[in-house]
Short mmCIF file of all heavy atoms in Angstrom, two decimals:
data_model
loop_
_atom_site.label_atom_id
_atom_site.label_comp_id
_atom_site.label_asym_id
_atom_site.label_seq_id
_atom_site.Cartn_x
_atom_site.Cartn_y
_atom_site.Cartn_z
N LYS A 1 39.24 -38.63 -61.72
CA LYS A 1 39.12 -37.39 -62.50
C LYS A 1 40.10 -36.32 -62.03
O LYS A 1 40.02 -35.86 -60.89
CB LYS A 1 37.69 -36.87 -62.44
CG LYS A 1 36.67 -37.83 -63.07
CD LYS A 1 35.27 -37.27 -62.99
CE LYS A 1 34.26 -38.23 -63.62
NZ LYS A 1 32.87 -37.71 -63.52
N ASP A 2 41.00 -35.94 -62.91
CA ASP A 2 42.02 -34.95 -62.54
C ASP A 2 41.44 -33.57 -62.27
O ASP A 2 42.03 -32.77 -61.54
CB ASP A 2 43.08 -34.83 -63.66
CG ASP A 2 43.85 -36.13 -63.83
OD1 ASP A 2 43.78 -36.98 -62.93
OD2 ASP A 2 44.53 -36.28 -64.87
N ASP A 3 40.28 -33.28 -62.85
CA ASP A 3 39.71 -31.94 -62.70
C ASP A 3 39.01 -31.76 -61.36
O ASP A 3 38.63 -30.63 -61.00
CB ASP A 3 38.72 -31.65 -63.84
CG ASP A 3 37.60 -32.67 -63.91
OD1 ASP A 3 37.83 -33.82 -63.50
OD2 ASP A 3 36.50 -32.30 -64.37
N LEU A 4 38.82 -32.84 -60.59
CA LEU A 4 38.20 -32.73 -59.27
C LEU A 4 39.28 -32.47 -58.23
O LEU A 4 40.06 -33.36 -57.88
CB LEU A 4 37.43 -34.01 -58.93
CG LEU A 4 36.15 -34.27 -59.73
CD1 LEU A 4 35.51 -35.59 -59.27
CD2 LEU A 4 35.16 -33.13 -59.55
N GLU A 5 39.35 -31.24 -57.77
CA GLU A 5 40.38 -30.85 -56.82
C GLU A 5 39.91 -31.01 -55.37
O GLU A 5 40.71 -31.25 -54.47
CB GLU A 5 40.79 -29.38 -57.05
CG GLU A 5 41.37 -29.11 -58.43
CD GLU A 5 42.75 -29.73 -58.60
OE1 GLU A 5 43.43 -29.95 -57.57
OE2 GLU A 5 43.16 -29.99 -59.75
N VAL A 6 38.61 -30.84 -55.13
CA VAL A 6 38.06 -30.93 -53.78
C VAL A 6 37.65 -32.37 -53.50
O VAL A 6 37.00 -33.01 -54.32
CB VAL A 6 36.82 -30.01 -53.62
CG1 VAL A 6 36.28 -30.11 -52.19
CG2 VAL A 6 37.20 -28.57 -53.94
N GLU A 7 38.05 -32.87 -52.33
CA GLU A 7 37.77 -34.25 -51.97
C GLU A 7 36.27 -34.50 -51.89
O GLU A 7 35.54 -33.74 -51.26
CB GLU A 7 38.41 -34.60 -50.62
CG GLU A 7 39.93 -34.57 -50.67
CD GLU A 7 40.55 -34.79 -49.30
OE1 GLU A 7 39.81 -35.23 -48.39
OE2 GLU A 7 41.73 -34.51 -49.12
N GLU A 8 35.81 -35.58 -52.52
CA GLU A 8 34.41 -36.01 -52.45
C GLU A 8 34.35 -37.27 -51.61
O GLU A 8 34.89 -38.31 -51.99
CB GLU A 8 33.85 -36.28 -53.85
CG GLU A 8 33.71 -35.04 -54.72
CD GLU A 8 33.06 -35.36 -56.06
OE1 GLU A 8 32.89 -36.57 -56.37
OE2 GLU A 8 32.72 -34.42 -56.79
N TYR A 9 33.70 -37.17 -50.46
CA TYR A 9 33.62 -38.31 -49.55
C TYR A 9 32.46 -39.21 -49.92
O TYR A 9 31.37 -38.74 -50.25
CB TYR A 9 33.48 -37.84 -48.10
CG TYR A 9 34.65 -36.99 -47.64
CD1 TYR A 9 34.54 -35.62 -47.55
CD2 TYR A 9 35.87 -37.59 -47.35
CE1 TYR A 9 35.61 -34.84 -47.14
CE2 TYR A 9 36.96 -36.83 -46.95
CZ TYR A 9 36.82 -35.45 -46.85
OH TYR A 9 37.89 -34.69 -46.47
N SER A 10 32.70 -40.51 -49.89
CA SER A 10 31.63 -41.46 -50.22
C SER A 10 30.59 -41.47 -49.11
O SER A 10 30.93 -41.44 -47.92
CB SER A 10 32.21 -42.87 -50.41
OG SER A 10 32.88 -43.29 -49.24
N LYS A 11 29.33 -41.51 -49.50
CA LYS A 11 28.23 -41.44 -48.54
C LYS A 11 27.74 -42.81 -48.13
O LYS A 11 27.15 -43.00 -47.09
CB LYS A 11 27.06 -40.64 -49.14
CG LYS A 11 27.43 -39.19 -49.43
CD LYS A 11 26.25 -38.46 -50.01
CE LYS A 11 26.63 -37.00 -50.32
NZ LYS A 11 25.49 -36.26 -50.93
N GLU A 12 27.94 -43.78 -48.98
CA GLU A 12 27.43 -45.12 -48.70
C GLU A 12 28.55 -46.03 -48.23
O GLU A 12 29.56 -46.16 -48.91
CB GLU A 12 26.79 -45.74 -49.95
CG GLU A 12 25.58 -44.96 -50.44
CD GLU A 12 24.94 -45.63 -51.64
OE1 GLU A 12 25.47 -46.68 -52.06
OE2 GLU A 12 23.95 -45.11 -52.15
N PRO A 13 28.41 -46.63 -47.06
CA PRO A 13 29.44 -47.54 -46.57
C PRO A 13 29.50 -48.81 -47.40
O PRO A 13 28.54 -49.15 -48.08
CB PRO A 13 28.98 -47.86 -45.13
CG PRO A 13 27.51 -47.67 -45.15
CD PRO A 13 27.25 -46.57 -46.16
N ASP A 14 30.60 -49.48 -47.32
CA ASP A 14 30.78 -50.74 -48.04
C ASP A 14 30.02 -51.84 -47.31
O ASP A 14 30.44 -52.33 -46.27
CB ASP A 14 32.28 -51.10 -48.08
CG ASP A 14 32.53 -52.39 -48.82
OD1 ASP A 14 31.63 -52.85 -49.53
OD2 ASP A 14 33.65 -52.93 -48.67
N THR A 15 28.87 -52.22 -47.85
CA THR A 15 28.01 -53.19 -47.17
C THR A 15 28.54 -54.62 -47.31
O THR A 15 28.14 -55.49 -46.56
CB THR A 15 26.59 -53.13 -47.76
OG1 THR A 15 26.66 -53.33 -49.17
CG2 THR A 15 25.95 -51.78 -47.47
N GLU A 16 29.43 -54.85 -48.25
CA GLU A 16 29.93 -56.20 -48.46
C GLU A 16 31.10 -56.54 -47.55
O GLU A 16 31.44 -57.68 -47.36
CB GLU A 16 30.35 -56.38 -49.93
CG GLU A 16 29.19 -56.25 -50.91
CD GLU A 16 29.66 -56.46 -52.34
OE1 GLU A 16 30.88 -56.67 -52.52
OE2 GLU A 16 28.84 -56.42 -53.25
N SER A 17 31.75 -55.51 -47.04
CA SER A 17 32.92 -55.73 -46.21
C SER A 17 32.53 -56.26 -44.84
O SER A 17 31.59 -55.79 -44.22
CB SER A 17 33.71 -54.42 -46.05
OG SER A 17 34.80 -54.61 -45.19
N THR A 18 33.25 -57.26 -44.36
CA THR A 18 33.00 -57.81 -43.03
C THR A 18 33.93 -57.18 -41.99
O THR A 18 33.83 -57.51 -40.82
CB THR A 18 33.24 -59.34 -43.05
OG1 THR A 18 34.59 -59.61 -43.47
CG2 THR A 18 32.27 -60.03 -43.98
N VAL A 19 34.80 -56.29 -42.43
CA VAL A 19 35.72 -55.63 -41.52
C VAL A 19 35.02 -54.44 -40.87
O VAL A 19 34.43 -53.60 -41.55
CB VAL A 19 36.99 -55.16 -42.26
CG1 VAL A 19 37.91 -54.40 -41.32
CG2 VAL A 19 37.70 -56.34 -42.88
N ARG A 20 35.08 -54.38 -39.53
CA ARG A 20 34.44 -53.27 -38.84
C ARG A 20 35.21 -51.98 -39.10
O ARG A 20 36.43 -51.96 -39.11
CB ARG A 20 34.40 -53.53 -37.33
CG ARG A 20 33.53 -54.70 -36.94
CD ARG A 20 33.01 -54.49 -35.55
NE ARG A 20 32.58 -55.74 -34.94
CZ ARG A 20 31.94 -55.81 -33.79
NH1 ARG A 20 31.67 -54.71 -33.12
NH2 ARG A 20 31.58 -56.97 -33.29
N ARG A 21 34.45 -50.90 -39.27
CA ARG A 21 35.05 -49.60 -39.54
C ARG A 21 34.88 -48.72 -38.31
O ARG A 21 33.76 -48.53 -37.81
CB ARG A 21 34.39 -48.96 -40.76
CG ARG A 21 35.13 -47.75 -41.31
CD ARG A 21 34.50 -47.33 -42.63
NE ARG A 21 35.16 -46.18 -43.21
CZ ARG A 21 36.25 -46.22 -43.95
NH1 ARG A 21 36.80 -47.39 -44.21
NH2 ARG A 21 36.78 -45.14 -44.46
N VAL A 22 35.97 -48.20 -37.80
CA VAL A 22 35.96 -47.39 -36.59
C VAL A 22 35.95 -45.91 -36.97
O VAL A 22 36.82 -45.45 -37.69
CB VAL A 22 37.18 -47.69 -35.70
CG1 VAL A 22 37.18 -46.83 -34.45
CG2 VAL A 22 37.21 -49.17 -35.33
N SER A 23 34.95 -45.19 -36.47
CA SER A 23 34.83 -43.77 -36.79
C SER A 23 35.70 -42.94 -35.85
O SER A 23 36.19 -43.44 -34.82
CB SER A 23 33.37 -43.32 -36.66
OG SER A 23 32.95 -43.40 -35.30
N MET A 24 35.86 -41.68 -36.17
CA MET A 24 36.63 -40.77 -35.32
C MET A 24 35.98 -40.64 -33.95
O MET A 24 36.67 -40.61 -32.91
CB MET A 24 36.73 -39.39 -35.99
CG MET A 24 37.51 -38.37 -35.18
SD MET A 24 39.29 -38.74 -35.07
CE MET A 24 39.82 -38.21 -36.70
N GLU A 25 34.64 -40.58 -33.92
CA GLU A 25 33.92 -40.48 -32.66
C GLU A 25 34.15 -41.71 -31.79
O GLU A 25 34.38 -41.61 -30.58
CB GLU A 25 32.42 -40.31 -32.94
CG GLU A 25 31.58 -40.15 -31.68
CD GLU A 25 30.10 -40.02 -31.98
OE1 GLU A 25 29.73 -40.04 -33.17
OE2 GLU A 25 29.31 -39.90 -31.02
#
């Protein structure tokens, strides 16, 4: 959507992915 200027972060992680996701912490 072009009208969304502010980034919307996804709240739900990808449960199907087997790749580990490393957080900033």
Side-chain angles (χ1 to χ4, degrees):
K1 297 180 180 179
D2 296 344
D3 58 332
L4 290 180
E5 299 289 337
V6 180
E7 295 175 14
E8 292 184 350
Y9 299 103
S10 58
K11 297 180 180 178
E12 297 182 0
D14 180 16
T15 56
E16 296 181 358
S17 176
T18 58
V19 177
R20 295 208 200 188
R21 193 172 180 84
V22 179
S23 66
M24 180 68 77
E25 182 181 359

